[in-house]
Amino acid sequence: MQRRNASRNDCVPGYFLFLLTMETDPIDQFIEKYILEKAVEKEQVSFTQFLQTNVAFVVDHTDEGQLDTVERVWGSRFGSVAKKLNVPVAPRQRDAPRFQEAVNALAKQLITSAKPLQEYAEVSTTESAISNSVASKDNSHILTAEAKIEFEENYSKMEKTLKWEIRNGVYLEDLMYQIGKVATHEHPVHSFILDVGDPVWKKELKDMLHEVQTFGDWSMPALKKPLQDFFDAYNNQPEDNVLNFLIKKTDEQGPFDPYTNPDLYKLKNIVQQFLGYYVDDVFRNVHLWTEEDFVSHIWAPLDRFFQSSKILTTRNQTCIATSLRLYGERSISGSASVSGKKASIRPDLLLVHDNIEYGCAEVGKNLLLVPDKKEIVESKLHSPKIMKDVLNAEIARARSDVSTARKLKVICFNQTGLTMSVSVMDTPAGYVSRILETDKYTVPVQPEYIVSELFPILKLVLKAKDIVDRSITATQHSRLAADEPGIRLESTAQKFVLPPSLSTSILAATRKRNQLNPSEQSQSKRRSTKSSPSSSSSS
């Protein structure tokens, strides 16, 4: 096809001939559509303007590892498509607003906001095959018709008398429903999860947000006095020779009996292990660490605190509670074969006691101050849904007793690079699963900051362990009540049941693919979920 001397208008018919004769990559199709629309209108084709008006598309189709170089990667691709169409591109605007700032802001907005991104949603989309193995871990997906129906059904089952009334005649579940009903992409609200740190609630609840945050038992438990005394012993840290002071002070602590004082015994050992890292200057190469390195050096040693409560700390295992939600109600329908059980996406840590999970963790390796897409999706959508599955399983083990349900909590460690925060889920009132999150703390790379920065992380883990211990105790007490055996019928007794997390089996398995129109779907092969825009070859 010869286009070397074609004008802008001349290139338009050739474009449609190109579509008919070649399979075009969906990303190239989107860029081509943008360029040709400008050409038809005889407007200047500007890469800078393309970025500014299509931030959502660019972020959603860029591998998370390339988000910090997105202008260079997409500039090359945009230029290649324009050259193929023989359309001149305007020089880049040196004084244009920094696109990278918009990328960072939108990456967070895509997950933490229930408001639809209209510019992106209006572009026609196609979805790949439905899969039960997806747990919303890679993105906030477009809601299918089935997902919207499930959301409606979960809401319709709620009894008004059991809802959380935050003001006279104002019910929190109703407000959540109204927000979820207009959203185009999955948000925690579709699972009736309320993360009080989500910006949407500051806008929607206004002065009622503080009441929702502080209702019931919302605060972290205080450290037990022997543990607090251990940390207080380091309060007189000198300005010089800090590491030697900390080593000597730790040696003076104890000795502690591992049977009668297991927390103190393990605390001393863990502090000594970290002090050894500073002696060996282990953190000098932290920028080269893999996710597994962060787990083995930093996070896995902290698992030991839970083991004294006979809690199994297992990593990269399928969540039992999530599997129950996805596959627990399979049956023989007579109209189709019984669906197979597929492996669910696995949390990076599960805290298990007596075959019931009480907590989880997600780990990343990002060392930047700005959270990457993986961190946002996992901490704001994927992990909350797992936490709710776990909470529902705890409630079921407690025989769906409402008074016990109000005492139960689930924890999740958000561990990214050297930073950690803890999310705590409970159900203080109504059908709402509330999430409260602690501040983020960072493992210091210099020993001078061990007391001020590392010790808060150790304290946070010990407080999280206390929360898990209390939930285990509450569940065990509820199970002690005798039950009369008999035929299982539809129970007439009122039992407390939270709405489940929105089923992943009816969400798209991979990212949405933007196309020129639905009729062209058969002409293009699907790109892989982690498709990188640096490659311009067809799928």
Side-chain angles (χ1 to χ4, degrees):
M1 188 183 305
Q2 193 66 254
R3 298 190 189 178
R4 187 176 304 276
N5 299 319
S7 66
R8 288 185 179 179
N9 289 337
D10 292 337
C11 77
V12 177
Y15 168 73
F16 292 106
L17 179 60
F18 176 80
L19 276 183
L20 292 173
T21 57
M22 296 186 66
E23 288 190 8
T24 307
D25 181 272
I27 296 177
D28 282 353
Q29 286 188 13
F30 187 85
I31 296 174
E32 288 169 355
K33 180 175 183 286
Y34 174 86
I35 292 175
L36 289 166
E37 285 177 350
K38 295 294 183 183
V40 169
E41 297 297 327
K42 297 185 178 180
E43 296 179 7
Q44 190 178 52
V45 176
S46 166
F47 174 63
T48 302
Q49 186 180 16
F50 170 80
L51 291 181
Q52 293 172 352
T53 56
N54 295 285
V55 183
F57 180 87
V58 172
V59 170
D60 198 45
H61 290 77
T62 302
D63 186 87
E64 64 188 49
Q66 295 182 318
L67 281 174
D68 54 354
T69 59
V70 70
E71 288 186 80
R72 176 176 57 80
V73 172
W74 279 82
S76 174
R77 189 152 190 174
F78 188 90
S80 297
V81 174
K83 183 178 181 180
K84 178 182 66 178
L85 297 174
N86 198 28
V87 175
V89 177
R92 298 193 189 184
Q93 302 173 24
R94 299 295 181 184
D95 58 344
R98 286 294 300 161
F99 176 71
Q100 194 62 50
E101 296 177 4
V103 168
N104 295 337
L106 185 74
K108 184 173 183 179
Q109 178 186 354
L110 280 171
I111 305 304
T112 60
S113 175
K115 303 298 183 182
L117 295 167
Q118 297 297 341
E119 297 85 357
Y120 187 35
E122 288 171 0
V123 181
S124 59
T125 61
T126 60
E127 300 288 349
S128 65
I130 292 171
S131 170
N132 284 334
S133 65
V134 176
S136 308
K137 191 168 185 176
D138 62 334
N139 210 339
S140 169
H141 291 292
I142 290 178
L143 291 170
T144 63
E146 292 85 352
K148 294 178 181 179
I149 291 173
E150 182 188 349
F151 175 59
E152 295 267 358
E153 289 177 346
N154 289 336
Y155 172 73
S156 66
K157 294 176 184 178
M158 298 179 182
E159 297 183 27
K160 184 176 181 179
T161 56
L162 296 180
K163 292 180 181 178
W164 187 348
E165 189 173 15
I166 54 178
R167 284 288 189 273
N168 187 26
V170 178
Y171 297 92
L172 190 50
E173 292 85 345
D174 296 346
L175 181 58
M176 298 175 78
Y177 171 71
Q178 293 300 324
I179 294 173
K181 188 170 64 171
V182 299
T184 59
H185 292 64
E186 188 188 12
H187 184 274
V189 74
H190 294 111
S191 300
F192 291 94
I193 296 172
L194 192 153
D195 182 346
V196 298
D198 189 330
V200 71
W201 297 117
K202 185 175 183 179
K203 178 179 179 180
E204 298 292 342
L205 293 177
K206 298 180 176 65
D207 60 319
M208 295 182 287
L209 178 59
H210 180 71
E211 179 181 341
V212 172
Q213 288 175 318
T214 58
F215 185 86
D217 181 19
W218 62 275
S219 60
M220 296 289 284
L223 281 180
K224 297 175 183 177
K225 189 177 185 304
L227 292 170
Q228 187 60 55
D229 290 343
F230 180 96
F231 291 110
D232 289 344
Y234 298 87
N235 286 344
N236 58 338
Q237 173 182 311
E239 294 184 2
D240 300 322
N241 299 319
V242 173
L243 186 55
N244 290 335
F245 165 80
L246 296 175
I247 293 172
K248 181 179 179 181
K249 183 62 68 173
T250 304
D251 287 341
E252 294 173 353
Q253 300 264 40
F256 303 111
D257 190 312
Y259 295 100
T260 59
N261 291 301
D263 288 342
L264 284 169
Y265 177 80
K266 291 175 181 177
L267 177 58
K268 178 177 179 177
N269 288 339
I270 289 172
V271 170
Q272 288 177 323
Q273 179 175 342
F274 274 86
L275 290 175
Y277 292 161
Y278 295 100
V279 170
D280 298 333
D281 199 15
V282 168
F283 295 114
R284 70 185 182 280
N285 292 319
V286 70
H287 61 286
L288 300 176
W289 285 11
T290 65
E291 187 172 302
E292 290 74 17
D293 291 329
F294 285 104
V295 171
S296 62
H297 287 85
I298 306 297
W299 309 123
L302 306 184
D303 296 351
R304 296 170 56 198
F305 284 125
F306 292 91
Q307 294 165 0
S308 60
S309 295
K310 304 299 185 288
I311 295 171
L312 171 65
T313 55
T314 178
R315 292 186 175 271
N316 298 312
Q317 295 295 320
T318 298
C319 179
I320 299 171
T322 299
S323 293
L324 285 173
R325 168 169 60 86
L326 295 177
Y327 310 108
E329 296 185 0
R330 289 180 299 166
S331 63
I332 298 177
S333 64
S335 59
S337 59
V338 179
S339 60
K341 180 179 178 296
K342 301 178 182 179
S344 299
I345 291 179
R346 302 174 176 184
D348 291 316
L349 171 70
L350 284 168
L351 304 175
V352 187
H353 183 274
D354 196 15
N355 292 321
I356 291 292
E357 293 133 340
Y358 289 88
C360 60
E362 285 293 344
V363 180
K365 63 177 183 177
N366 180 33
L367 287 169
L368 302 176
L369 294 177
V370 179
D372 59 16
K373 182 177 178 180
K374 177 178 184 290
E375 179 182 353
I376 296 169
V377 175
E378 288 185 347
S379 64
K380 297 300 181 182
L381 182 59
H382 171 67
S383 294
K385 292 181 68 175
I386 290 180
M387 293 171 73
K388 179 153 192 178
D389 292 336
V390 170
L391 181 59
N392 272 326
E394 290 181 20
I395 293 173
R397 177 59 70 93
R399 304 189 180 188
S400 301
D401 175 65
V402 64
S403 62
T404 303
R406 303 303 183 199
K407 301 176 184 177
L408 298 176
K409 296 184 179 183
V410 176
I411 66 163
C412 180
F413 293 107
N414 308 305
Q415 299 163 334
T416 303
L418 295 172
T419 67
M420 187 188 83
S421 66
V422 175
S423 297
V424 182
M425 176 179 283
D426 63 358
T427 175
Y431 296 96
V432 177
S433 299
R434 177 182 64 179
I435 291 182
L436 300 165
E437 187 174 350
T438 69
D439 291 329
K440 287 185 177 181
Y441 297 93
T442 303
V443 177
V445 297
Q446 297 172 307
E448 289 79 8
Y449 304 104
I450 290 176
V451 172
S452 60
E453 296 180 2
L454 174 64
F455 282 7
I457 291 179
L458 302 182
K459 291 178 181 179
L460 200 54
V461 175
L462 288 165
K463 290 185 176 187
K465 175 182 178 291
D466 195 352
I467 290 175
V468 172
D469 287 341
R470 295 183 188 191
S471 293
I472 292 173
T473 300
T475 304
Q476 290 175 332
H477 285 172
S478 182
R479 292 175 61 194
L480 291 175
D483 195 9
E484 190 66 26
I487 300 297
R488 186 179 69 176
L489 298 174
E490 290 295 325
S491 176
T492 57
Q494 187 178 38
K495 291 188 175 182
F496 181 72
V497 180
L498 286 174
S501 296
L502 191 67
S503 177
T504 56
S505 63
I506 57 178
L507 293 171
T510 57
R511 295 178 180 178
K512 45 194 174 291
R513 294 293 174 227
N514 288 38
Q515 307 249 330
L516 284 174
N517 59 63
S519 65
E520 294 169 358
Q521 294 173 11
S522 61
Q523 296 182 356
S524 297
K525 296 179 181 179
R526 306 296 187 263
R527 288 174 64 82
S528 63
T529 301
K530 288 292 182 181
S531 174
S532 168
S534 60
S535 172
S536 59
S537 59
S538 298
S539 303

